[in-house]
Amino acid sequence: MTTAHAAVPVLAGRHPFRGLPVIETAGLRRDPGSPRPVFDQDVWDLTGLADAPVVMSRHRKILDFTAIASPRWRQVAREYLLARLAPLHPDVATLPRAFRVPLNPNSLWSELKHLALWFNYLTSVGVTSLPQVRQHHCDAYLTTVSRTTADPNRPLSPSTTAARVRIPQFLALYTEILSDRYQPGFTPWPGRGADEVAGYVRSDENLVPPVPDTLLRPLLANCLYLLETIGPPLAAETAAARAADDDEANSQRSLLTHEIDHLRGAVDQRRGAGIPAPQAQSSTIAQRLKGGWDPDDPLLHMAWHPFVVETAGAMGHRRQLETLRPELERWVSQCGLQPPWCRDAARVPRHGDGELVPWATPMARHQLDATVYVVTSAAYFLTSALSGMRTSELAELTSGCRQQEQRPGGGTRCRLASRRIKGEAFGGTEDAWVVIEDVHHAIATTEALTGAPPGQRLFAKASNNSNRRYTALRSWVNGEHGQRLGLEPLPDGPVNPRALRRTLAMAIAQRPHGLMATKLHLKHVSVATTEGYAARPGGHQAAFAAEVAAEEEAEHLRLTVAAYEDYQRGILPSGQGARDLITAFKAADEALDRHEAGPVTVIDDRRVERVLKAKAKTLHVGVGNYCWFSDPSKALCLKLAGTPDADKPLMGMCDSARCPQATHHPQHRQVWADHATNTQAVFLGNPRLSKPERARSQAAFDRATRIVAEIDTAGHTEEPESDA
């Protein structure tokens, strides 16, 4: 951090922001008729920001400066934040050390929280103006804010502490424009950045833990079942519920006298057909009891008003109920009560065993809404897990975002239109994400369930929180509804889009051995990601493709190190490329032998990885082999395809038994053993197989058994036999 210079003139006596509208001064758009906060106000209401992303929730748009105890420092906080928002303001643009990029308005709430921490701490230790601040105040503040409030013995993460340290330092950058400022030449922790002060070491490594397989597999399987099997009938039921809502909204008139007989006939008709009377919700029952109903009244639990709306299109009052009480009591007595929704549910195959069961049991309206939330949450998690979309991008999905394009030669490309928020200017950038059909269908189901009009966001409810969504989904799946449908119980979370994005990147990187769910074809997800990146190199999927590449590089290094460790244990590779790989491993041995370990220096895993990193970059993983693609001229697949200058192998054309760059390892043995068994059972065991087909099948069987034998042999020898 640079030190402030006393020679820089201050705006003595001037208040350049006084009376200015905050949103317009920052160059942002405001919705017509929305609040227009002014700099001098102690509360800035930014709910009218026109381009605010969904992830900028309402509470982050209300900046309450009264959280700062000192009125003097409330003004300093307002000056600092508006200066950060409007770097092109004439009085800010001339500041020599001010930031030149505007602060994202979504960060204002956090910045104000950190300002309040700093200023209120100073107030608590008796400091009344910033010129009084000395370094010992800063050090004591660091000690205080680097620990949790609930447990002072428990330290916060270095990244959180660094964010709290930056504010005291950043104020020094705006000394000339603040009405109260540090003494000339003073900067908190001079010469040290916030990261250094807090002990925060930034890393390029992705530290987000992936979702464990024990959670991911049942989650995806259950989500697919809910969307494919339960989604369609649930969408039809919710459409009927919305129609009932519309009828009720249009039924504001009172019931006419001559309509009583019509209602009496409807009651008798339903009683005769054995249809149960509609059951009232618990809230209605509580309201009736509060209004003086007898707890033993046989009609206490009957939903009277909805029945009148449905039958006569009018409002049902207590007096009409009393008029029809004999008929209604007879109906309830003979047919009973039943929640009005999901009656006579169609049968669907149960998850797992396929037994036909009703897709739902009769439920009240709030239970129907809860079920819709559960199934839309299934769509939320499935979309996140199979596309890699961030939380901010999921939140921007709207009804009508689905796009389809017919591809030349057949097939369909599916896209979701969204907005790219992270790393973009405030408001984001329009973009599209190429997805597989499962995701496309999940969004279509969500549109049908929510009934959202075009342009309305699908996942932007107040309850759009991944933890809350997973808790609701897990409770429903593990409860009576999910278990009746045969769904696999879900373990505790957490599950969120960050972890699902990391999991997908790792699964694609570990192909063909990366698995997410037996029903999902990971290759299709990988192709969609690649197509999305190719179509928009700077779009959503560019960043995700980079994450996949990083995970792939890490996975290939891990596999290379594992092969090297096998070599050290005497378990050697087999195949035409085995000799070259063993030579590379011997060279690695020599490089490590040249390392003279001192008293505090060891040959650790990191050093082994550095030595093998170049070799790992040549690795391409096949289903039954590794390809060490170091020389394109030796690649058999490129020769067969007639593309000798390609920069990567064609794994789909790999003949690993003949390619001089292919190797087989113990983990490939089962693949080849299964291939031999299946070839013998399906083809060679077929007496009707033609002679040419039998010859080809015999050659494939002989090749597979030879590779299995070579793998077994290589695992028990020191080196492959010499050709001499």
Side-chain angles (χ1 to χ4, degrees):
M1 182 65 64
T2 56
T3 303
H5 299 287
V8 179
V10 298
L11 302 174
R14 285 189 55 196
H15 299 285
F17 300 136
R18 179 168 292 172
L20 292 181
V22 175
I23 296 177
E24 289 80 355
T25 301
L28 302 171
R29 296 191 313 119
R30 183 174 61 87
D31 289 328
S34 62
R36 190 170 184 260
V38 176
F39 167 79
D40 308 87
Q41 296 172 337
D42 270 343
V43 177
W44 289 357
D45 185 345
L46 304 178
T47 54
L49 280 172
D51 299 311
V54 175
V55 291
M56 187 179 181
S57 53
R58 182 179 177 83
H59 82 276
R60 300 185 72 89
K61 299 174 185 176
I62 305 295
L63 302 184
D64 188 355
F65 291 89
T66 61
I68 300 173
S70 168
R72 173 197 294 245
W73 288 336
R74 291 176 197 169
Q75 175 159 326
V76 172
R78 294 196 301 268
E79 291 166 342
Y80 168 75
L81 291 181
L82 191 50
R84 292 293 309 274
L85 277 176
L88 298 182
H89 184 280
D91 288 310
V92 180
T94 57
L95 300 182
R97 294 169 298 143
F99 289 98
R100 303 307 175 196
V101 177
L103 180 69
N104 191 312
N106 196 25
S107 301
L108 285 171
W109 188 84
S110 298
E111 292 287 292
L112 176 57
K113 182 176 71 172
H114 295 145
L115 284 164
L117 276 175
W118 172 234
F119 288 140
N120 289 342
Y121 170 79
L122 294 178
T123 299
S124 70
V125 296
V127 177
T128 58
S129 65
L130 291 182
Q132 299 172 4
V133 176
R134 299 293 183 269
Q135 185 56 47
H136 68 86
H137 294 122
C138 303
D139 294 335
Y141 168 75
L142 174 62
T143 301
T144 301
V145 299
S146 61
R147 299 186 176 277
T148 63
T149 305
D151 183 3
N153 294 320
R154 181 165 159 251
L156 292 169
S157 68
S159 60
T160 301
T161 303
R164 297 180 172 189
V165 167
R166 288 190 191 101
I167 283 295
Q169 292 188 322
F170 285 174
L171 288 174
L173 304 179
Y174 292 84
T175 294
E176 302 83 5
I177 205 171
L178 301 179
S179 55
D180 188 33
R181 59 191 72 87
Y182 300 130
Q183 67 173 355
F186 177 77
T187 298
W189 300 282
R192 300 170 65 197
D195 289 357
E196 182 182 353
V197 171
Y200 176 42
V201 179
R202 295 178 181 268
S203 172
D204 293 334
E205 183 180 357
N206 191 336
L207 301 179
V208 177
V211 179
D213 195 61
T214 52
L215 190 158
L216 184 66
R217 284 181 178 273
L219 173 64
L220 292 181
N222 290 340
C223 287
L224 283 167
Y225 178 83
L226 288 173
L227 291 165
E228 294 175 357
T229 305
I230 306 302
L234 179 60
E237 197 72 11
T238 54
R242 287 193 296 272
D245 292 341
D246 293 338
D247 290 342
E248 183 171 358
N250 297 325
S251 302
Q252 299 302 313
R253 67 179 181 84
S254 298
L255 189 66
L256 302 177
T257 304
H258 70 272
E259 292 177 316
I260 297 294
D261 290 338
H262 174 64
L263 283 177
R264 184 177 287 109
V267 170
D268 291 341
Q269 182 182 14
R270 298 189 182 201
R271 179 176 56 81
I275 299 174
Q279 185 174 339
Q281 297 193 83
S282 56
S283 59
T284 301
I285 297 170
Q287 187 177 8
R288 287 176 175 177
L289 291 172
K290 187 177 180 180
W293 279 57
D294 184 348
D296 296 325
D297 191 324
L299 300 184
L300 174 65
H301 295 272
M302 178 190 170
W304 162 248
H305 177 67
F307 169 69
V308 176
V309 170
E310 179 186 355
T311 306
M315 299 176 64
H317 296 291
R318 177 75 181 269
R319 59 180 179 274
Q320 286 94 16
L321 179 144
E322 295 301 332
T323 302
L324 292 174
R325 176 174 284 276
E327 291 84 355
L328 294 175
E329 288 186 359
R330 192 158 50 247
W331 183 18
V332 171
S333 174
Q334 293 182 12
C335 301
L337 294 164
Q338 191 178 65
W341 300 107
C342 303
R343 294 181 175 187
D344 302 321
R347 292 180 172 275
V348 296
R350 227 166 78 106
H351 182 63
D353 57 19
E355 178 187 349
L356 293 179
V357 295
W359 73 267
T361 56
M363 59 181 69
R365 179 58 187 272
H366 71 278
Q367 294 172 314
L368 180 65
D369 293 340
T371 305
V372 169
Y373 182 67
V374 165
V375 179
T376 56
S377 295
Y380 180 86
F381 288 117
L382 188 77
T383 301
S384 175
L386 300 184
S387 70
M389 298 181 79
R390 295 186 175 96
T391 300
S392 59
E393 294 154 354
L394 288 166
E396 296 294 330
L397 291 174
T398 62
S399 179
C401 67
R402 295 179 298 120
Q403 302 172 353
Q404 284 187 303
E405 172 190 347
Q406 295 300 318
R407 305 177 62 181
T412 304
R413 178 185 285 113
C414 302
R415 288 192 178 93
L416 298 180
S418 181
R419 296 182 69 83
R420 192 168 67 250
I421 303 299
K422 185 175 181 179
E424 299 296 321
F426 183 67
T429 304
E430 297 286 347
D431 207 342
W433 198 289
V434 178
V435 296
I436 61 174
E437 289 187 6
D438 296 280
V439 174
H440 198 261
H441 177 261
I443 297 301
T445 302
T446 303
E447 291 175 340
L449 289 172
T450 60
Q456 182 174 310
R457 291 185 172 93
L458 297 173
F459 300 119
K461 304 294 185 184
S463 55
N464 186 32
N465 172 285
S466 58
N467 182 56
R468 190 176 302 169
R469 283 188 177 277
Y470 184 71
T471 300
L473 177 62
R474 180 175 179 270
S475 298
W476 196 93
V477 167
N478 295 357
E480 59 174 325
H481 301 295
Q483 294 311 293
R484 188 182 62 82
L485 293 171
L487 298 179
E488 185 175 350
L490 292 173
D492 288 334
V495 180
N496 56 66
R498 289 184 68 200
L500 291 171
R501 179 184 176 94
R502 176 83 196 284
T503 306
L504 178 61
M506 292 179 66
I508 293 176
Q510 294 168 7
R511 286 185 58 230
H513 305 291
L515 299 174
M516 295 187 69
T518 55
K519 193 173 181 180
L520 299 171
H521 299 286
L522 198 57
K523 181 179 179 181
H524 295 171
V525 182
S526 178
V527 169
T529 299
T530 303
E531 287 186 357
Y533 170 69
R536 295 172 180 258
H540 285 293
Q541 287 169 295
F544 182 62
E547 290 182 30
V548 172
E551 296 292 350
E552 189 175 60
E553 182 176 340
E555 173 68 6
H556 289 183
L557 181 57
R558 184 189 70 79
L559 294 175
T560 304
V561 172
Y564 173 73
E565 291 173 345
D566 281 347
Y567 152 81
Q568 288 184 312
R569 293 193 297 268
I571 303 174
L572 303 181
S574 61
Q576 297 295 313
R579 186 173 304 280
D580 288 344
L581 183 59
I582 292 172
T583 300
F585 287 163
K586 287 181 177 179
D589 281 341
E590 294 174 0
L592 293 171
D593 288 341
R594 290 196 296 270
H595 170 71
E596 298 180 2
V600 294
T601 314
V602 296
I603 300 177
D604 58 7
D605 292 341
R606 291 293 184 186
R607 180 163 178 78
V608 172
E609 289 175 358
R610 286 195 293 270
V611 171
L612 295 173
K613 193 170 185 178
K615 189 63 178 176
K617 288 183 179 296
T618 68
L619 175 60
H620 294 262
V621 181
V623 175
N625 68 286
Y626 291 161
C627 172
W628 307 91
F629 189 73
S630 56
D631 186 351
S633 65
K634 294 182 179 180
L636 179 61
C637 59
L638 300 188
K639 293 179 181 178
L640 295 175
T643 57
D645 298 326
D647 58 358
K648 58 183 178 181
L650 302 172
M651 297 303 293
M653 296 182 62
C654 182
D655 185 352
S656 61
R658 296 194 297 145
C659 182
Q661 297 186 121
T663 59
H664 302 118
H665 300 259
Q667 57 267 37
H668 300 131
R669 185 188 188 282
Q670 192 61 46
V671 174
W672 290 104
D674 291 345
H675 180 51
T677 301
N678 293 337
T679 301
Q680 186 173 40
V682 176
F683 296 100
L684 297 179
N686 183 2
R688 297 183 178 181
L689 198 67
S690 66
K691 288 185 177 180
E693 288 295 330
R694 183 172 296 278
R696 280 193 289 269
S697 298
Q698 186 65 50
F701 175 78
D702 293 343
R703 179 182 63 174
T705 53
R706 184 175 70 253
I707 291 174
V708 170
E710 290 174 352
I711 292 174
D712 291 341
T713 302
H716 297 88
T717 58
E718 293 297 323
E719 292 184 24
E721 297 180 3
S722 172
D723 292 338

